[in-house]
Amino acid sequence: AVVSTQSGHYGRGNVVADYSSFASQVYAPETRVGVFLDRGSELYNVKNRYLNTYEGLLELEASLPDYVTQPRIKIPNLRSGKGGAQKRFEKRLKELDDTADLIKHDKEKQFEVPAPPRFLQKVIRPPPRPPTPSVETPSEEDEKRELAVIFLQQLLRGRAIQNMMQEGKEKRMELIDELRSTEALQEDKFIKKEKSTACDSALIPLL
Protein backbone atom coordinates (compact mmCIF):
# COMPACT_ATOMS: atom_id res chain seq x y z
CA ALA A 1 0.00 0.00 0.00
CA VAL A 2 1.22 3.49 -0.85
CA VAL A 3 0.86 5.91 2.06
CA SER A 4 2.06 9.46 2.78
CA THR A 5 4.99 9.89 5.20
CA GLN A 6 5.48 12.73 7.67
CA SER A 7 7.70 14.62 5.20
CA GLY A 8 4.92 14.70 2.58
CA HIS A 9 6.40 12.10 0.26
CA TYR A 10 4.56 8.98 -0.81
CA GLY A 11 6.08 5.57 -0.33
CA ARG A 12 5.35 1.94 0.45
CA GLY A 13 4.23 1.44 4.05
CA ASN A 14 5.44 -1.21 6.45
CA VAL A 15 2.45 -3.12 7.81
CA VAL A 16 4.42 -4.91 10.52
CA ALA A 17 5.92 -1.65 11.82
CA ASP A 18 2.50 0.04 11.80
CA TYR A 19 0.87 -2.68 13.89
CA SER A 20 3.83 -3.03 16.28
CA SER A 21 3.84 0.70 17.14
CA PHE A 22 0.82 1.95 19.07
CA ALA A 23 1.54 5.52 17.85
CA SER A 24 0.96 4.62 14.20
CA GLN A 25 -2.04 5.59 12.04
CA VAL A 26 -3.56 2.18 12.64
CA TYR A 27 -4.16 2.79 16.34
CA ALA A 28 -4.18 6.64 16.51
CA PRO A 29 -5.07 8.20 13.15
CA GLU A 30 -4.55 11.95 12.85
CA THR A 31 -7.38 14.29 12.02
CA ARG A 32 -5.22 16.37 9.65
CA VAL A 33 -4.84 13.35 7.43
CA GLY A 34 -8.62 13.33 7.03
CA VAL A 35 -9.75 10.87 9.67
CA PHE A 36 -12.54 12.07 12.05
CA LEU A 37 -13.28 9.54 14.72
CA ASP A 38 -16.45 11.24 15.96
CA ARG A 39 -17.94 11.75 12.52
CA GLY A 40 -21.60 10.78 12.54
CA SER A 41 -21.75 10.44 16.33
CA GLU A 42 -24.90 12.56 16.46
CA LEU A 43 -26.76 9.70 14.82
CA TYR A 44 -26.36 7.68 18.02
CA ASN A 45 -27.84 10.30 20.35
CA VAL A 46 -31.07 9.21 22.07
CA LYS A 47 -33.89 11.58 21.22
CA ASN A 48 -36.87 10.98 23.47
CA ARG A 49 -39.64 13.24 24.72
CA TYR A 50 -39.48 11.75 28.19
CA LEU A 51 -35.82 12.75 28.55
CA ASN A 52 -35.71 16.09 26.72
CA THR A 53 -38.78 17.80 28.27
CA TYR A 54 -39.87 18.47 31.83
CA GLU A 55 -43.40 17.21 31.19
CA GLY A 56 -41.97 13.97 29.86
CA LEU A 57 -39.87 13.51 33.03
CA LEU A 58 -43.01 13.98 35.17
CA GLU A 59 -44.89 11.37 33.14
CA LEU A 60 -41.94 8.99 33.39
CA GLU A 61 -41.75 9.42 37.18
CA ALA A 62 -45.51 8.86 37.52
CA SER A 63 -45.27 5.62 35.54
CA LEU A 64 -42.57 4.11 37.78
CA PRO A 65 -43.63 1.91 40.75
CA ASP A 66 -43.28 3.11 44.35
CA TYR A 67 -40.35 0.82 45.27
CA VAL A 68 -38.22 2.62 42.62
CA THR A 69 -38.84 6.20 43.82
CA GLN A 70 -39.20 5.33 47.52
CA PRO A 71 -36.75 2.54 48.34
CA ARG A 72 -37.21 0.67 51.57
CA ILE A 73 -34.04 -0.40 53.32
CA LYS A 74 -34.34 -3.33 55.72
CA ILE A 75 -31.72 -3.40 58.46
CA PRO A 76 -30.49 -6.95 59.08
CA ASN A 77 -30.99 -8.44 62.51
CA LEU A 78 -27.48 -8.71 63.92
CA ARG A 79 -28.55 -10.59 67.05
CA SER A 80 -29.53 -13.76 65.20
CA GLY A 81 -27.74 -15.95 62.70
CA LYS A 82 -24.13 -16.75 62.10
CA GLY A 83 -23.40 -14.72 58.99
CA GLY A 84 -20.72 -12.17 58.30
CA ALA A 85 -22.82 -9.31 59.71
CA GLN A 86 -23.06 -11.07 63.08
CA LYS A 87 -19.30 -11.67 63.16
CA ARG A 88 -18.54 -8.06 62.29
CA PHE A 89 -20.97 -6.88 64.96
CA GLU A 90 -19.35 -9.09 67.61
CA LYS A 91 -15.87 -7.97 66.55
CA ARG A 92 -16.86 -4.31 66.76
CA LEU A 93 -18.54 -4.87 70.13
CA LYS A 94 -15.38 -6.54 71.48
CA GLU A 95 -13.26 -3.60 70.28
CA LEU A 96 -15.57 -1.17 72.08
CA ASP A 97 -15.42 -3.23 75.29
CA ASP A 98 -11.62 -3.33 75.15
CA THR A 99 -11.48 0.42 74.61
CA ALA A 100 -13.84 1.02 77.55
CA ASP A 101 -11.75 -1.22 79.81
CA LEU A 102 -8.58 0.60 78.78
CA ILE A 103 -10.12 4.00 79.54
CA LYS A 104 -11.39 2.76 82.90
CA HIS A 105 -7.96 1.36 83.77
CA ASP A 106 -6.30 4.67 82.90
CA LYS A 107 -8.75 6.57 85.11
CA GLU A 108 -8.21 4.23 88.05
CA LYS A 109 -4.47 4.46 87.58
CA GLN A 110 -4.59 8.24 87.99
CA PHE A 111 -6.05 7.94 91.50
CA GLU A 112 -3.75 5.17 92.69
CA VAL A 113 -1.43 6.02 95.55
CA PRO A 114 2.12 5.39 94.42
CA ALA A 115 3.99 2.80 96.40
CA PRO A 116 6.78 4.07 98.65
CA PRO A 117 10.30 3.67 97.34
CA ARG A 118 11.86 0.33 98.03
CA PHE A 119 14.99 1.75 99.62
CA LEU A 120 13.03 3.76 102.22
CA GLN A 121 11.25 0.73 103.66
CA LYS A 122 12.31 -0.54 107.05
CA VAL A 123 14.28 -3.73 106.84
CA ILE A 124 13.36 -6.14 109.63
CA ARG A 125 16.44 -7.99 110.78
CA PRO A 126 16.08 -11.67 111.60
CA PRO A 127 16.42 -12.69 115.26
CA PRO A 128 19.95 -13.62 116.36
CA ARG A 129 20.94 -17.26 116.30
CA PRO A 130 20.97 -19.07 119.65
CA PRO A 131 24.40 -19.94 121.04
CA THR A 132 25.85 -23.23 119.93
CA PRO A 133 25.69 -25.82 122.73
CA SER A 134 29.02 -27.13 123.95
CA VAL A 135 30.12 -30.10 126.05
CA GLU A 136 32.44 -29.69 128.99
CA THR A 137 35.83 -31.30 128.51
CA PRO A 138 36.31 -34.14 131.07
CA SER A 139 39.32 -34.11 133.33
CA GLU A 140 42.33 -36.39 132.87
CA GLU A 141 41.40 -38.60 135.85
CA ASP A 142 37.90 -39.19 134.43
CA GLU A 143 39.37 -40.20 131.08
CA LYS A 144 41.76 -42.69 132.75
CA ARG A 145 38.93 -44.13 134.83
CA GLU A 146 36.77 -44.56 131.67
CA LEU A 147 39.59 -46.30 129.80
CA ALA A 148 40.15 -48.66 132.75
CA VAL A 149 36.45 -49.57 132.84
CA ILE A 150 36.46 -50.28 129.08
CA PHE A 151 39.55 -52.51 129.41
CA LEU A 152 37.98 -54.42 132.30
CA GLN A 153 34.82 -55.00 130.27
CA GLN A 154 36.89 -56.44 127.43
CA LEU A 155 38.65 -58.80 129.80
CA LEU A 156 35.36 -60.00 131.30
CA ARG A 157 33.85 -60.62 127.86
CA GLY A 158 36.94 -62.54 126.70
CA ARG A 159 36.95 -64.68 129.88
CA ALA A 160 33.25 -65.42 129.46
CA ILE A 161 33.85 -66.65 125.90
CA GLN A 162 36.74 -68.87 127.08
CA ASN A 163 34.51 -70.45 129.74
CA MET A 164 31.83 -71.18 127.14
CA MET A 165 34.41 -72.88 124.91
CA GLN A 166 35.77 -74.93 127.84
CA GLU A 167 32.28 -76.09 128.80
CA GLY A 168 31.56 -77.13 125.20
CA LYS A 169 34.83 -79.05 125.08
CA GLU A 170 34.04 -80.95 128.27
CA LYS A 171 30.58 -81.88 127.04
CA ARG A 172 31.97 -83.33 123.79
CA MET A 173 35.13 -84.92 125.23
CA GLU A 174 34.04 -88.48 124.31
CA LEU A 175 33.59 -87.51 120.69
CA ILE A 176 36.98 -85.79 120.65
CA ASP A 177 38.68 -88.89 122.14
CA GLU A 178 37.01 -91.13 119.56
CA LEU A 179 38.22 -88.90 116.73
CA ARG A 180 41.73 -88.88 118.15
CA SER A 181 41.85 -92.67 118.49
CA THR A 182 40.61 -93.13 114.91
CA GLU A 183 43.27 -90.75 113.66
CA ALA A 184 46.01 -92.65 115.65
CA LEU A 185 44.91 -95.99 114.14
CA GLN A 186 45.06 -94.53 110.65
CA GLU A 187 48.58 -93.24 111.32
CA ASP A 188 49.69 -96.73 112.52
CA LYS A 189 48.32 -98.37 109.39
CA PHE A 190 50.06 -95.85 107.22
CA ILE A 191 53.40 -96.41 109.03
CA LYS A 192 53.13 -100.22 108.69
CA LYS A 193 52.32 -99.88 105.02
CA GLU A 194 55.36 -97.71 104.41
CA LYS A 195 57.60 -100.22 106.26
CA SER A 196 56.32 -103.13 104.21
CA THR A 197 56.82 -101.21 101.00
CA ALA A 198 60.40 -100.38 101.99
CA CYS A 199 61.18 -104.05 102.76
CA ASP A 200 59.77 -105.20 99.44
CA SER A 201 61.85 -102.66 97.58
CA ALA A 202 65.00 -103.83 99.43
CA LEU A 203 64.44 -107.58 98.63
CA ILE A 204 63.86 -107.14 94.92
CA PRO A 205 67.57 -106.50 93.99
CA LEU A 206 68.67 -109.63 95.96
CA LEU A 207 66.45 -111.86 93.89
Side-chain angles (χ1 to χ4, degrees), residues 99-112:
T99 306
D101 294 339
L102 183 61
I103 294 172
K104 183 179 179 181
H105 178 70
D106 292 341
K107 288 183 178 179
E108 292 178 352
K109 192 174 181 180
Q110 293 178 358
F111 297 101
E112 288 182 356

Side-chain angles (χ1 to χ4, degrees), residues 84-150:
Q86 176 67 18
K87 293 181 180 179
R88 288 193 296 272
F89 174 75
E90 293 177 354
K91 182 179 179 182
R92 182 60 178 169
L93 187 61
K94 185 177 182 302
E95 291 177 355
L96 293 175
D97 292 340
D98 295 341
T99 306
D101 294 339
L102 183 61
I103 294 172
K104 183 179 179 181
H105 178 70
D106 292 341
K107 288 183 178 179
E108 292 178 352
K109 192 174 181 180
Q110 293 178 358
F111 297 101
E112 288 182 356
V113 179
R118 183 170 63 89
F119 296 102
L120 295 180
Q121 295 180 359
K122 184 179 180 181
V123 178
I124 300 175
R125 296 182 179 277
R129 294 178 57 183
T132 305
S134 59
V135 180
E136 295 181 358
T137 305
S139 60
E140 187 176 356
E141 294 180 359
D142 295 339
E143 290 183 357
K144 290 181 179 180
R145 187 181 299 108
E146 186 175 358
L147 292 175
V149 170
I150 293 172

Side-chain angles (χ1 to χ4, degrees), residues 119-186:
F119 296 102
L120 295 180
Q121 295 180 359
K122 184 179 180 181
V123 178
I124 300 175
R125 296 182 179 277
R129 294 178 57 183
T132 305
S134 59
V135 180
E136 295 181 358
T137 305
S139 60
E140 187 176 356
E141 294 180 359
D142 295 339
E143 290 183 357
K144 290 181 179 180
R145 187 181 299 108
E146 186 175 358
L147 292 175
V149 170
I150 293 172
F151 182 71
L152 182 60
Q153 291 177 352
Q154 292 176 353
L155 289 177
L156 293 176
R157 291 194 186 97
R159 189 61 182 171
I161 293 171
Q162 288 179 356
N163 293 335
M164 291 173 60
M165 293 177 64
Q166 188 66 25
E167 290 178 359
K169 180 182 178 181
E170 292 178 355
K171 288 180 181 180
R172 295 169 179 80
M173 185 58 68
E174 296 179 358
L175 179 60
I176 293 172
D177 294 339
E178 185 178 356
L179 292 173
R180 285 179 178 176
S181 61
T182 304
E183 185 177 358
L185 292 174
Q186 289 179 354

